[in-house]
Amino acid sequence: MANHVAGVQSARPGRTDRPADSMTDRLVEFVGLLRDHGIHAGPSETIDAAEAILALGLADRNRLRSGLAATLLRRNGQRAVFDQLFDLYFLTANPLESERPADPDSIDAMRDRLVSALAQDDRAAATELAQQALTELGGYGGAGTGQSSGPVTTASGAGWSSYLAMKALRPEDLIDRIVAGMGAPAGQFDTTVRTIEANRRLAQFRTAVRTEARLRSAQLRGTEYIARRGVESSTDHIDFLGAREQDLAEMRRLVTPLARKLATRLAARRRRSARGQIDMRRTMRRSMATGGVPIDPVLRARKHGRPDLVVLADLSGSVTGFAEFTLQLVQALQDQFSKVRSFGFIDTCDEITAHFTPGEPPTPGTAARIVRTSNVARFGSSNYGEALQGFVDNYLEALGPRTSLLILGDARTNRTDPNLSALQAMSDRAKHAYWLNPEPSRSWSTGDSAAHVYAEHITMHECRNVEQLTEVITRLLPA
């Protein structure tokens, strides 16, 4: 099978929504969709995945899922996307059995059954309930029961929505009942532990409903259609400005492994450059002994030492997630610098270095805590001109010939003076100055954004997600 995989790599172009002719074709299409979602699996990983299928078989899909994940995934933050695509390509939706329209009594009964299933951790019953909830509560446009007497087609606008099913079922209101059904707690600690476990089981139920909705939608519109439009992005591809709280929580978990990877890259780069650059003047002088042939090059002594880093971050609500993640990443990388100082601003500027403790894991709400306890806001609306002037007036001595300056923000000034002279004074004093902007570059000249003006005085990089931020930080780290 592994040999056959290599032979059908060219079969994917032109294939649209027809089912795969064999498991080999299905695997090749699956790997192609992984690449489209930023999971870079090459021919060798595909062959390993084929060998895993042969070794594990198809009977146990959970075991197959783990085997393919082990062979195809390389980075943290990719498993959620992998699981969604795996469900589409290796699972099938169960046939609909219920033809009854939903009514309040049946919903109440369904909620009671859900409490019982989750309290007893009966996964089979919970999966069956997820399918029933979607059937009775999640159909729209003729896809739900009791709404259409004929076959459902794509043109009819029909589909399945896990949001509609969960909205009608309101499972988040059942946490206390689920905890009570798990037995009498021994104390407050036991109650807390059971509440956490109840939330975990409820999250699994939500995932089961979403998976079933995705599978049924794939039956209506085709697997590739849903795979391209109905699969959530991996954590490192989610835009900072559009990230939800659960996305930001996952990003925080990426800080430590990402910092380790960047530090490893930097160490390798330093090893390669340890010998220094060629000194052309001394090399040519030494070549006089060999008739002008530079047989023995002379290298300049490499200057050792690590630069200082100053970070100036916009902590206003629109870019809080981006600033918080980047500040935590920089703090995790502080061993690469001789000194790291962090400053925050909204409409005034204040030093916030003390809010970050090296070696401690990041905590949620850091930016909000800084805003409450530091002098970073006076009126609460972003004012880049005033913030830059505040830095120049109070902290300009933090910049010097060994300092790299990193500014984080979307450069939206609320139509106030951008204060280019202050930015120029900061750039002139620092050795390097960079601006990381979480907005797409096409938006830098729209509305109240002064990014296109600032970009004339400082090197500005687009950093919309973790992947782009990683690439930029890798280039900017000291060598």
Side-chain angles (χ1 to χ4, degrees):
M1 180 177 179
N3 293 332
H4 186 44
V5 168
V8 297
Q9 288 282 357
S10 61
R12 187 173 174 269
R15 294 176 62 92
T16 54
D17 292 332
R18 66 186 180 87
D21 299 327
S22 67
M23 182 54 66
T24 301
D25 292 337
R26 185 172 291 270
L27 175 61
V28 172
E29 290 186 1
F30 174 61
V31 172
L33 263 297
L34 290 178
R35 294 194 196 105
D36 292 342
H37 285 79
I39 300 176
H40 303 293
S44 61
E45 288 82 7
T46 305
I47 293 174
D48 290 341
E51 296 289 355
I53 292 176
L54 288 175
L56 299 175
L58 303 176
D60 189 337
R61 294 304 169 105
N62 288 329
R63 184 172 62 180
L64 177 62
R65 182 198 303 269
S66 299
L68 292 184
T71 56
L72 295 173
L73 299 186
R74 300 180 181 180
R75 301 201 310 264
N76 294 321
Q78 297 179 335
R79 184 59 188 263
V81 173
F82 173 88
D83 285 342
Q84 294 175 71
L85 293 174
F86 178 91
D87 291 340
L88 285 173
Y89 270 81
F90 295 96
L91 301 180
T92 57
N94 292 325
L96 304 184
E97 298 177 355
S98 175
E99 295 295 334
R100 313 181 276 106
D103 58 79
D105 291 335
S106 66
I107 293 177
D108 289 340
M110 197 181 303
R111 286 160 60 88
D112 292 339
R113 291 175 56 201
L114 179 60
V115 168
S116 176
L118 297 184
Q120 299 174 18
D121 199 17
D122 188 340
R123 299 189 181 184
T127 300
E128 182 182 348
L129 276 169
Q131 296 166 358
Q132 180 184 350
L134 188 69
T135 299
E136 299 189 2
L137 307 173
Y140 63 88
T145 59
Q147 300 179 43
S148 175
S149 58
V152 176
T153 64
T154 303
S156 68
W160 299 95
S161 169
S162 61
Y163 171 77
L164 291 177
M166 299 300 288
K167 181 180 178 181
L169 202 56
R170 302 192 316 277
E172 62 276 0
D173 298 337
L174 305 177
I175 290 295
D176 292 340
R177 294 177 58 188
I178 296 172
V179 172
M182 296 168 69
Q188 182 60 38
F189 178 76
D190 193 28
T191 300
T192 302
V193 170
R194 294 189 181 193
T195 301
I196 294 173
E197 176 63 16
N199 279 288
R200 185 190 67 82
R201 295 177 186 178
L202 189 55
Q204 290 180 336
F205 177 76
R206 288 194 183 97
T207 300
V209 176
R210 285 197 296 266
T211 299
E212 187 67 19
R214 200 175 292 117
L215 292 175
R216 294 188 190 180
S217 297
Q219 288 181 333
L220 292 176
R221 291 174 171 81
T223 298
E224 288 205 11
Y225 181 91
I226 298 301
R228 296 182 188 281
R229 295 167 176 81
V231 172
E232 297 179 1
S233 301
S234 59
T235 304
D236 56 351
H237 283 78
I238 296 175
D239 284 3
F240 289 113
L241 300 185
R244 301 163 298 180
E245 183 55 40
Q246 58 264 37
D247 298 326
L248 294 175
E250 182 63 31
M251 289 177 186
R252 294 184 194 105
R253 286 191 284 271
L254 292 178
V255 169
T256 301
L258 180 57
R260 282 200 301 266
K261 181 171 68 174
L262 292 178
T264 301
R265 289 182 185 177
L266 179 58
R269 194 166 69 190
R270 282 178 172 161
R271 284 195 299 270
R272 289 195 297 268
S273 60
R275 297 180 60 192
Q277 297 178 337
I278 292 179
D279 188 328
M280 291 300 301
R281 183 179 62 83
R282 297 174 62 193
T283 298
M284 295 307 296
R285 179 177 295 179
R286 180 175 292 185
S287 71
M288 300 297 292
T290 56
V293 181
I295 294 176
D296 189 9
V298 180
L299 302 177
R300 294 191 184 98
R302 185 175 182 272
K303 295 181 179 180
H304 296 281
R306 298 176 180 179
D308 298 339
L309 178 66
V310 169
V311 184
L312 181 61
D314 181 358
L315 299 178
S316 61
S318 59
V319 293
T320 299
F322 165 67
E324 184 177 336
F325 179 85
T326 308
L327 283 168
Q328 291 165 347
L329 177 60
V330 167
Q331 291 297 324
L333 287 168
Q334 73 166 355
D335 288 344
Q336 310 303 324
F337 303 91
S338 60
K339 181 188 293 185
V340 177
R341 295 183 67 182
S342 301
F343 299 84
F345 70 90
I346 294 180
D347 54 5
T348 60
C349 181
D350 193 17
E351 184 164 6
I352 59 174
T353 306
H355 288 267
F356 298 90
T357 303
E360 290 190 4
T363 57
T366 300
R369 193 160 49 251
I370 291 172
V371 172
R372 288 195 307 270
T373 59
S374 302
N375 185 30
V376 299
R378 181 170 38 197
F379 302 110
S381 297
S382 295
N383 190 324
Y384 278 76
E386 288 293 327
L388 294 176
Q389 189 61 49
F391 184 90
V392 170
D393 293 341
N394 301 309
Y395 303 108
L396 192 59
E397 80 285 350
L399 302 177
R402 288 173 42 85
T403 307
S404 293
L405 172 64
L406 201 61
I407 301 179
L408 315 175
D410 59 5
R412 293 203 171 269
T413 63
N414 288 317
R415 305 192 185 282
T416 58
D417 179 15
N419 200 349
L420 299 177
S421 59
L423 178 64
Q424 190 62 54
M426 296 163 62
S427 299
D428 292 341
R429 190 173 176 88
K431 180 179 181 180
H432 303 292
Y434 308 101
W435 190 308
L436 307 187
N437 194 324
E439 285 196 341
S441 56
R442 63 179 179 274
S443 301
W444 290 359
S445 59
T446 63
D448 61 347
S449 175
H452 62 297
V453 179
Y454 285 135
E456 297 175 0
H457 297 264
I458 188 172
T459 303
M460 187 171 289
H461 298 274
E462 176 186 294
C463 291
R464 292 185 293 110
N465 51 49
V466 174
E467 183 182 47
Q468 286 186 334
L469 179 63
T470 303
E471 294 174 357
V472 171
I473 294 294
T474 301
R475 293 200 302 267
L476 302 187
L477 280 174

